[in-house]
């Protein structure tokens, strides 16, 4: 309530170069917009009601209604301030009050979902449906006058290319990471003598700042491209996606190897002895017993690597790797906050989606094992 009343809900600027004037939420709650207070009051009432399945469901529904209403109000206010003119130079941006109140609504909804059901599949479904009202508002054009959407319209081709580049970096990192990390983790789990030195090397790599590691790769890769022109012709050079992917793979090895070691050690020795007693050889014990049991733990490590890669790929834009980071840094250099958000918001959504997918897979494996 303090954030909603004390911070600007939206800001109105004559153009993208001038700073905007903040408009607080209370100034917008006139007429039918005053109904926005109803879910706020009901959520406060629920604080004093004994927790139950019904109260959690009510909290979820009220938080979702409030979230949708806040987004719709911001879009409506942008329509009013620009007069609905598609060519208007005015920029209506989300203010601090909007971000604080909508984030709190999503936190309330997420907390209510986690308390309402312990079923991971239902949790995923309920969390995903939180985005449906906003998708509807976007599709209907109700948010088209917001400056964030105008920035997207002006750079749709650049944004789409950056999004695909970011996804390419993610996939290009995960595939070699798994190809290297899984065998290395299995080797470490079976060779206690080699485990400390290997983990020490990976720890050293992990402590290097990402910018420093990108810089260390520039000279050797540039020299390699000069010595072998074929590599340069196929994109291997001191700048671009190649050094970014190599660095991100090196960063991903430590959490991945540790998760593989933890997963292999989570298999009880008695289970392995029972499998061996049934006549299974070493390879069969690994493929049919150890690996399936360790897979949920390993996938948890892959989840960490994937989310980490999504975030760190933003920094890779500094060495010409492209992706959403290029849009973000372009916005920072031009002091265009909406352009920064155009790179950051999809990144946050991508990280949340990747995290949710792997959590869902882990939950399905754990449910199948029961």
């Amino acid at each position: 309530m303090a954030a909603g009343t004390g911070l600007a809900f939206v800001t109105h600027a004559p153009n993208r170069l001038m700073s905007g004037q903040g408009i607080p939420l209370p100034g917008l709650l006139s007429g039918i917009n005053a109904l926005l207070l109803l879910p706020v009051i009901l959520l406060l009432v629920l604080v004093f009601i004994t927790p139950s399945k019904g109260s959690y469901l009510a909290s979820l529904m009220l938080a979702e209604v409030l979230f949708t209403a806040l987004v719709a109000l911001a879009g409506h206010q942008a329509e009013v301030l620009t007069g609905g003119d598609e060519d208007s130079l005015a920029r209506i941006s989300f203010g601090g009050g909007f971000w604080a109140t909508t984030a709190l609504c999503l936190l309330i909804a997420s907390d209510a979902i986690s308390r309402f059901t312990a079923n991971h599949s239902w949790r995923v479904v309920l969390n995903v449906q939180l985005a449906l009202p906003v998708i509807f508002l976007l599709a209907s054009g109700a948010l088209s006058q917001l400056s964030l959407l105008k920035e997207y319209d002006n750079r749709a081709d650049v944004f789409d290319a950056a999004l695909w580049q970011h996804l390419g970096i993610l996939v290009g990192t995960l595939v070699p990471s798994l190809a290297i990390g899984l065998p290395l983790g299995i080797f470490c789990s079976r060779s206690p003598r080699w485990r400390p030195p290997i983990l020490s090397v990976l720890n050293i790599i992990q402590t290097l700042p990402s910018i420093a590691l990108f810089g260390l790769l520039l000279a050797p890769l540039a020299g390699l491209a000069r010595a072998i022109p074929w590599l340069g012709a196929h994109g291997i050079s001191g700048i671009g996606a190649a050094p970014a992917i190599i660095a991100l793979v090196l960063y991903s090895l430590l959490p991945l190897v540790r998760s593989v070691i933890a997963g292999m050690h989570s298999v009880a020795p008695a289970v392995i002895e029972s499998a061996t007693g049934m006549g299974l050889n070493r390879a069969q014990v690994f493929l049919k017993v150890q690996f399936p049991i360790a897979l949920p733990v390993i996938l948890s490590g892959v989840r960490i690597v994937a989310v980490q890669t999504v975030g760190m790929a933003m920094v890779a834009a500094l060495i010409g790797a492209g992706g959403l980071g290029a849009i973000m840094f372009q916005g920072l250099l031009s002091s265009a906050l909406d352009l920064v958000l155009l790179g950051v918001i999809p990144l946050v959504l991508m990280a949340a989606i990747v995290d949710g997918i792997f959590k869902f897979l882990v939950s399905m494996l754990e449910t199948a094992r029961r």
Side-chain angles (χ1 to χ4, degrees), residues 8-32:
F9 184 72
V10 293
T11 59
H12 178 211
N15 53 62
R16 64 174 299 188
L17 299 177
M18 298 182 66
S19 58
Q21 180 180 0
I23 302 174
L25 183 58
L28 305 177
L29 298 180
S30 58
I32 194 172

Side-chain angles (χ1 to χ4, degrees), residues 172-264:
T173 299
L174 287 180
V175 172
S177 295
L178 291 172
I180 299 171
L182 286 177
L184 191 59
I186 294 169
F187 174 76
C188 289
S189 66
R190 294 182 174 181
S191 305
R193 183 166 64 93
W194 287 98
R195 191 185 312 154
I198 291 175
L199 291 180
S200 296
V201 172
L202 297 181
N203 271 309
I204 293 172
I205 295 173
Q206 195 77 14
T207 57
L208 291 173
S210 56
I211 295 294
L213 187 54
F214 290 146
L216 290 173
L217 292 172
L218 289 178
L221 287 178
L224 191 62
R226 283 195 301 269
I228 308 176
W230 180 86
L231 294 176
H234 287 78
I236 306 297
S237 62
I239 59 173
I245 290 176
I246 293 173
L248 292 173
V249 169
L250 292 174
Y251 274 122
S252 66
L253 289 179
L254 179 63
L256 186 54
V257 169
R258 284 192 177 277
S259 68
V260 173
I261 294 172
M264 299 300 290

